[in-house]
């Protein structure tokens, strides 16, 4: 049975670090299909989730079909699967993630090969995540004042456990949780190789 692993990479939870480790450790693997985050964004995530152009969507479907047929494991790690980190109008944490993962898994279920789908979800201490997300917004020019950011982004609505609970309701998906703090300590460097 084929194994498909999806890592939606919640922002500021070690996604880039994990992708670099995977790129380094999986580059010579012949039974695992893993590409760069740029490749996944342009060829899988964007066409399947944003669905701007039917031809690109069909190309993404064909690419997934080939990968599932040719490899024992498919590993997709791409932060844009998560979508927006917060919806200020609705005060919702990662409002698009569940829908985006559903779109991706729907595309994968069209593949005729028997397979399992595992979701690898990285989480981080809420207060540390909140601070890091604010600093990222400042760096990118989207936020300047912490008080305004705090008013708009209600910390009480930020809950990785609620998000995971919502994701767990999707059928036929196994959810695995990795802690950012473990990455930071260097304890999970082999996390997805096995």
């Amino acid at each position: 049975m084929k194994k498909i692993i999806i890592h939606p990479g919640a922002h500021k939870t070690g996604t880039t670090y994990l992708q670099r480790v995977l790129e380094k450790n999986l580059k010579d693997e012949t039974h695992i299909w893993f590409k760069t985050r740029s490749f996944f964004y342009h060829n899988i995530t964007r066409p399947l989730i944003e669905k701007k152009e039917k031809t690109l969507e069909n190309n993404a479907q064909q690419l997934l079909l080939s990968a599932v047929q040719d490899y024992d494991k498919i590993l997709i790690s791409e932060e844009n699967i998560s979508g927006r980190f917060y919806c200020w109008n609705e005060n919702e944490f990662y409002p698009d993630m569940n829908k985006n993962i559903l779109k991706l898994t729907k595309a994968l279920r069209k593949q005729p090969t028997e397979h399992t789908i595992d979701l690898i979800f990285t989480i981080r201490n809420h207060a540390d995540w909140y601070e890091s997300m604010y600093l990222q917004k400042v760096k990118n020019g989207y936020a300047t004042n912490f008080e305004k950011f705090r008013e708009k982004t209600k910390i009480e609505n930020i809950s990785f456990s609620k998000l995971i609970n919502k994701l767990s309701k999707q059928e036929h998906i196994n959810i695995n949780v990795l802690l950012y703090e473990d990455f930071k300590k260097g304890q999970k460097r082999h996390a997805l190789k096995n």
Side-chain angles (χ1 to χ4, degrees), residues 9-24:
H11 304 83
K12 311 310 290 175
T13 60
T15 301
T16 302
Y17 168 78
L18 179 60
Q19 289 167 339
R20 287 181 183 148
V21 169
L22 290 169
E23 284 177 34
K24 180 181 174 189

Side-chain angles (χ1 to χ4, degrees), residues 74-188:
I74 312 308
L75 176 52
I76 301 171
S77 177
E78 211 279 290
E79 200 168 76
N80 290 298
I81 296 169
S82 298
R84 305 172 288 164
F85 87 94
Y86 198 81
C87 177
W88 286 279
N89 294 336
E90 299 164 19
N91 287 319
E92 189 177 347
F93 184 53
Y94 282 108
D96 305 318
M97 186 183 288
N98 195 50
K99 175 183 63 166
N100 291 349
I101 291 173
L102 190 61
K103 287 179 185 178
L104 185 56
T105 57
K106 184 178 177 183
L108 288 163
R109 286 194 181 100
K110 290 181 180 177
Q111 311 311 319
T113 310
E114 192 174 329
H115 56 270
T116 62
I117 299 176
D118 287 0
L119 181 67
I120 304 294
F121 197 74
T122 50
I123 63 172
R124 183 176 185 176
N125 170 286
H126 290 130
D128 293 341
W129 178 89
Y130 195 75
E131 178 184 5
S132 185
M133 200 68 216
Y134 167 72
L135 293 172
Q136 182 71 38
K137 292 296 181 186
V138 169
K139 179 181 173 184
N140 292 338
Y142 297 117
T144 54
N145 180 301
F146 182 73
E147 288 304 314
K148 286 182 183 176
F149 180 79
R150 188 176 59 77
E151 286 172 18
K152 286 178 72 175
T153 312
K154 308 273 189 252
I155 197 165
E156 62 271 12
N157 293 335
I158 294 170
S159 172
F160 285 110
S161 59
K162 286 180 185 175
L163 185 59
I164 291 166
N165 187 42
K166 193 178 197 182
L167 293 169
S168 71
K169 293 183 173 136
Q170 288 195 29
E171 291 184 34
H172 311 295
I173 295 180
N174 306 310
I175 297 180
N176 301 281
V177 177
L178 302 174
L179 303 176
Y180 168 84
E181 290 76 13
D182 288 341
F183 286 134
K184 197 171 182 181
K185 292 176 192 170
Q187 295 176 353
K188 297 283 184 186

